[in-house]
Amino acid sequence: MSSISKAEALAAVRRSIDETDTQLLRLLNSRAQLSLEVGRIKHDGKENGDALIYDPKRERTLLDRLISENGGPLTEAHIKVLWSEIFSVSRALQHPRSVAYLGPEGTFSYFAGVEFLGRSTRFCPCSHFEEIFRRVQDGSCDLGVIPLENSLQGTVGQNFDLLWRYEVDFRAEFLSRISHSLMSLEHEIGRIQKIYSHPQPLAQCGRWLHDNCPNALLVPVESTAAAADRAAEEPGSAAIGRDSLADRLGLNTLAKCIEDDPANWTRFVLIGRRGMESAFSRGGADKSSLMFTLPDKSGALAMVLNELSLAGVNMRKLESRPLRGTCWKYIFFCDVECDLYEDKFSELRTRLMEKCLSFRILGSYPSGMKTGLEDIGAPQ
């Protein structure tokens, strides 16, 4: 094929792409109009209609259907990323969402929230976890993103304690792979004298740091974003965090994927003000979380577990936390594989409440989906 015919063939393909883009634009605008109509129906006659916009169960059902119908060459990860943004834009058209997260911008919580909720969401940085809970409960933010547990470091105990104190519930969960990079103004690892990061990344990269930076001073700070800010101002220092922070601050990435275990995932949950969940969102859940306290008597926990077993409910997680303000009293946190709000579990709910001093369902939601950006080569 001559160079001219190649150019002509390329021009023809590009014309087809332009025509396809025009069709996509028309279809996306048509979908946006339908989304606005959905929002109008949800709002009709509702004082708090804006609280009904986010429906993770409906979005998950749509996404599962699209993935099952996908014939390629788009991969499952591509579908997740594309429709995450479509969902995000649709929500913003109906009513802009404000989502609190542990800031500043550039933390793993921020990137996890963007990957799950899309870039049309308004993210509001908070200085500590309790501020997230407080802003969600008082309505100054619609939703909040919090890390609940890490596959290597275990649970984030502070957030379990806050769940007991604040009137919030779970709307969704999502799993985000945590990959760490070493970034600095310097161009060589050997010039690094001090390394900043949040305590968890420092622990998760402990073996690599011992082998490659044995003489560097490790300094814990409040977030990976704060660590990168310090490294950007201090020659001879470095930060551990997400690689895209280096691009934002003009730092050099000296090493990637320095975590000791590549199976490093964090489970994030999306919290909302309790009692504001949409009636439209019932159905589509396959997981529930609950918290309870027990009377101080022999077999109290065994009776709760037996009720779950008799109902055929599989338990995925059970953990206890000290009850603040008391000595030797505990709160239990439990994940089960079912929607406890379903009518068929009404008797089970009654029996559990009878056997517990206090009993609270934190929410029923679709089981966690892994965010997909790392699967298509996006910055980590």
Side-chain angles (χ1 to χ4, degrees), residues 168-216:
V168 299
D169 53 22
F170 292 178
R171 302 300 171 80
E173 71 168 5
F174 47 102
L175 309 176
S176 181
R177 184 174 181 273
I178 306 299
S179 183
H180 298 299
S181 294
L182 184 73
M183 60 201 83
S184 173
L185 291 172
E186 306 295 343
H187 290 82
E188 299 176 2
I189 293 178
R191 298 179 64 86
I192 303 303
Q193 301 172 1
K194 187 182 297 183
I195 299 174
Y196 296 102
S197 194
H198 185 274
Q200 276 205 338
L202 289 174
Q204 292 165 6
C205 303
R207 187 166 61 248
W208 188 94
L209 290 169
H210 178 270
D211 293 341
N212 294 274
C213 306
N215 299 318

Side-chain angles (χ1 to χ4, degrees), residues 18-91:
D18 291 344
E19 292 170 2
T20 302
D21 285 341
T22 299
Q23 295 173 31
L24 280 172
L25 179 62
R26 187 179 304 113
L27 288 171
L28 287 170
N29 274 307
S30 177
R31 190 190 192 284
Q33 288 291 346
L34 293 171
S35 181
L36 287 170
E37 179 64 12
V38 168
R40 186 194 65 77
I41 294 171
K42 286 183 176 181
H43 282 194
D44 189 24
K46 304 280 187 181
E47 288 185 14
N48 295 314
D50 61 335
L52 308 180
I53 297 301
Y54 181 59
D55 191 344
K57 299 167 191 175
R58 165 66 176 164
E59 291 183 5
R60 179 64 174 271
T61 300
L62 284 172
L63 196 56
D64 287 345
R65 179 180 62 79
L66 291 168
I67 290 171
S68 69
E69 295 177 356
N70 177 40
L74 293 176
T75 67
E76 179 177 330
H78 294 138
I79 298 298
K80 289 179 183 178
V81 172
L82 287 170
W83 260 266
S84 173
E85 293 303 324
I86 290 173
F87 293 152
S88 180
V89 170
S90 295
R91 286 186 237 112

Side-chain angles (χ1 to χ4, degrees), residues 133-147:
F133 282 81
R134 186 170 60 247
R135 295 185 70 172
V136 171
Q137 181 171 283
D138 67 20
S140 58
C141 281
D142 300 298
L143 300 165
V145 171
I146 60 167

